């Protein structure tokens, strides 16, 4: 049933190449009512196992179908780390759609306490300090399995030094349900 999210993500990218609507939202919501729920999602694109685009929402702000459509197009054509997807790359991409729970603030005393409370491979993490913020989905633990490396990269993604935990940033955690091709 959730495979419909992959089809929606793929069709929304194809719409941009073909210049016409391929998704009938009303029909899909009628068949899959959960698509009308307000939920946050991330859409990740990979080619040969390498990241090719990843854009998402941390908090629910629209229906799941609209969020997936928007994030798929953003990941394909507007991820600032990559050039827009080409038609030949479209044929090679593998799509993953992640549906997020509502992030919850994680209270912790120090880095050691944080390390005890974080659950690798289960927790997605939002790190915020001053006006800087970044997140890693739970799947990033597969690439960065050590706490210190995971958080070092997350600090740098937020535009801070890799040791930013010493400044006691605000930490939120969330979980995802992921579907991939």
């Amino acid at each position: 049933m959730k495979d419909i999210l992959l089809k929606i993500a793929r069709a929304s990218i194809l719409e941009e190449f073909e210049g016409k609507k391929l998704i009938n939202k009303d029909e899909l919501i009628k068949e899959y009512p959960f698509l009308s729920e307000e939920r946050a999602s991330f859409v990740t694109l990979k080619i040969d196992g390498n990241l090719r685009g990843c854009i998402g929402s941390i908090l629910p702000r629209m229906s799941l179908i609209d969020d997936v459509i928007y994030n798929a197009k953003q990941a394909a054509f507007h991820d600032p780390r990559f050039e827009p997807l080409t038609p030949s790359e479209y044929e090679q991409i593998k799509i993953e759609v992640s549906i997020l729970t509502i992030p919850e603030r994680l209270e912790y005393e120090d880095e050691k306490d944080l390390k005890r409370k974080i659950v690798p491979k289960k927790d997605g993490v939002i790190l915020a300090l001053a006006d800087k913020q970044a997140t890693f989905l739970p799947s990033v633990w597969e690439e960065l399995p050590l706490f210190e490396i995971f958080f070092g990269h997350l600090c740098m993604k937020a535009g801070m030094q890799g040791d930013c935990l010493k400044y006691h940033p605000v930490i939120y955690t969330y979980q995802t349900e992921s579907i991939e091709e």
Side-chain angles (χ1 to χ4, degrees), residues 3 11 21 24 49 68 70 85 92-93 100 105 118 127 159 170:
D3 286 349
K21 287 282 178 207
N24 183 329
V68 169
Y70 177 80
L85 195 73
Q92 302 172 53
I93 59 168
L100 283 63
R105 187 171 178 156
I118 289 288
L127 178 146
V170 176

Side-chain angles (χ1 to χ4, degrees), residues 52-104:
R52 182 55 182 85
C54 182
I55 299 285
S57 313
I58 297 292
L59 296 172
R61 60 183 200 280
M62 61 182 79
S63 67
L64 181 57
I65 191 169
D66 287 331
D67 203 60
V68 169
I69 290 168
Y70 177 80
N71 290 330
K73 290 179 181 185
Q74 292 298 306
F77 304 108
H78 302 288
D79 186 324
R81 298 168 291 185
F82 302 96
E83 291 295 316
L85 195 73
T86 65
S88 63
E89 287 176 314
Y90 173 79
E91 300 301 323
Q92 302 172 53
I93 59 168
K94 297 289 183 209
I95 299 174
E96 179 179 353
V97 177
S98 300
I99 310 305
L100 283 63
T101 62
I102 301 291
E104 294 183 12

Side-chain angles (χ1 to χ4, degrees), residues 13 30 36 42 51 68 78-79 85 100 109-110 112 124 135 142 144 152 164-165 178:
I13 296 168
K30 191 174 179 183
S36 66
F42 264 76
L51 185 64
V68 169
H78 302 288
D79 186 324
L85 195 73
L100 283 63
E109 298 295 319
D110 54 23
K112 194 174 181 181
T135 189
E142 294 168 23
L144 306 170
C164 78
L165 288 182
S178 296

Side-chain angles (χ1 to χ4, degrees), residues 11 18 64 70 77-78 83 86 93 108 112 114 116-117 119 122 127 129 131 136 142 145 156 159-160:
E18 295 197 358
L64 181 57
Y70 177 80
F77 304 108
H78 302 288
E83 291 295 316
T86 65
I93 59 168
Y108 66 101
K112 194 174 181 181
L114 179 62
R116 276 195 303 272
K117 291 180 175 179
V119 183
K122 180 181 177 237
L127 178 146
L129 185 64
D131 63 342
F136 276 156
E142 294 168 23
M156 289 186 283
M160 297 180 266

Side-chain angles (χ1 to χ4, degrees), residues 2-3 5 11 13 17 32 42 59 64 72 76 80 82 103 116-117 125 133 147 153 162 171 176 181:
K2 303 271 178 164
D3 286 349
L5 296 173
I13 296 168
F17 289 125
Y32 304 97
F42 264 76
L59 296 172
L64 181 57
F82 302 96
R116 276 195 303 272
K117 291 180 175 179
V125 178
Q133 177 175 305
F147 176 91
H153 279 76
I171 301 291
T176 61
E181 293 180 324

